């Protein structure tokens, strides 16, 4: 942990993540705020996301492409609330629940932004969707691959998931 002057940008401070806390260093339940900033190595991502425990727990949906175990792209709606990630088919697909419609936030072990996606079915070259792609790993050794329409959506999802995991007392494997 280190103190950073607010006169300095996060990029100039070479910080990727920031946790804002009271000066005395004590965490106050319900008042913590997390920030996902742009990486100093990827300057075109300049979106910042601030979450309190209550704002992070508010349900929100994003249109995504989910890459299944056969590397096929599937249009989905990813929903996140304070307890679960929801994987839903789009309304044009009937809005039905897939085989596994939800996973618990407490089971998340890692979230990564900007990963390369597995190659499309019938292709051996991984697809680079830097900034729009992200992965979510779980305690059962399952990793899900997603792609969003915008870099901002991907960064917001990753920031929200990281905050929720930490809020639930979890930690990430690195």
């Amino acid at each position: 942990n280190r103190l950073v002057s607010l006169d300095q940008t996060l990029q100039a401070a070479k910080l990727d993540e920031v946790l804002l806390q009271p000066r005395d260093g004590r965490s106050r339940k319900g008042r913590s705020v997390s920030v996902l900033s742009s990486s100093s190595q990827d300057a075109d991502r300049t979106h910042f996301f601030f979450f309190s425990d209550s704002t992070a727990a508010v349900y929100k949906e994003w249109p995504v492409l989910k890459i299944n175990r056969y590397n096929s792209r599937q249009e989905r709606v990813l929903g996140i609330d304070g307890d679960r990630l929801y994987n839903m088919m789009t309304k044009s697909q009937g809005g039905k629940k897939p085989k596994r419609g939800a996973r618990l936030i407490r089971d998340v072990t890692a979230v990564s932004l900007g990963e390369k996606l597995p190659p499309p079915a019938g292709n051996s070259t991984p697809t680079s969707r830097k900034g729009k792609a992200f992965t979510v790993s779980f305690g059962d050794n399952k990793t899900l691959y997603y792609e969003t329409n915008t870099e901002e959506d991907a960064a917001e999802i990753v920031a929200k998931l990281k905050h929720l995991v930490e809020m639930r007392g979890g930690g990430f494997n690195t």
Side-chain angles (χ1 to χ4, degrees):
N1 292 339
R2 66 181 181 150
L3 293 176
V4 177
S5 167
L6 293 178
D7 295 330
Q8 186 178 24
T9 67
L10 295 177
Q11 188 175 12
K14 295 185 176 152
L15 297 174
D16 292 329
E17 290 187 32
V18 176
L19 178 63
L20 301 177
Q21 292 183 327
R23 265 190 177 244
D24 59 13
R26 291 180 293 160
S27 177
R28 294 189 176 116
K29 186 140 180 86
R31 293 187 178 181
S32 65
V33 178
S34 63
V35 180
L36 178 72
S37 75
S38 63
S39 167
S40 57
Q41 299 168 337
D42 191 7
D44 63 334
R45 286 186 297 172
T46 58
H47 307 287
F48 289 57
F49 296 94
F50 294 85
F51 292 106
S52 67
D53 291 353
S54 57
T55 60
V58 172
Y59 181 78
K60 185 168 180 182
E61 294 180 347
W62 297 266
V64 296
L65 282 178
K66 179 180 176 276
I67 293 80
N68 72 10
R69 64 181 167 195
Y70 304 109
N71 295 335
S72 293
R73 269 78 173 139
Q74 303 170 322
E75 287 186 28
R76 293 287 186 258
V77 174
L78 178 67
I80 301 174
D81 67 16
D83 298 312
R84 290 181 173 80
L85 279 86
Y86 300 92
N87 174 33
M88 298 165 288
M89 293 183 180
T90 63
K91 289 184 182 182
S92 65
Q93 297 169 318
K96 297 178 257 176
K97 283 186 181 178
K99 191 175 189 178
R100 183 151 189 179
R103 287 180 167 266
L104 294 171
I105 297 288
R106 71 173 182 231
D107 294 338
V108 174
T109 58
V111 181
S112 296
L113 180 63
E115 294 291 320
K116 286 190 176 188
L117 296 174
N123 188 343
S124 60
T125 307
T127 308
S128 179
R129 298 283 189 242
K130 196 168 188 179
K132 293 183 182 180
F134 66 96
T135 59
V136 183
S137 299
F138 299 89
D140 61 0
N141 293 323
K142 176 83 173 173
T143 298
L144 301 179
Y145 298 87
Y146 293 96
E147 181 180 338
T148 58
N149 293 329
T150 67
E151 292 178 13
E152 182 176 89
D153 284 351
E156 181 179 10
I157 292 166
V158 169
K160 184 175 181 99
L161 285 173
K162 284 185 174 185
H163 185 92
L164 288 168
V165 169
E166 290 170 5
M167 183 176 95
R168 299 277 174 251
F172 290 106
N173 297 336
T174 53

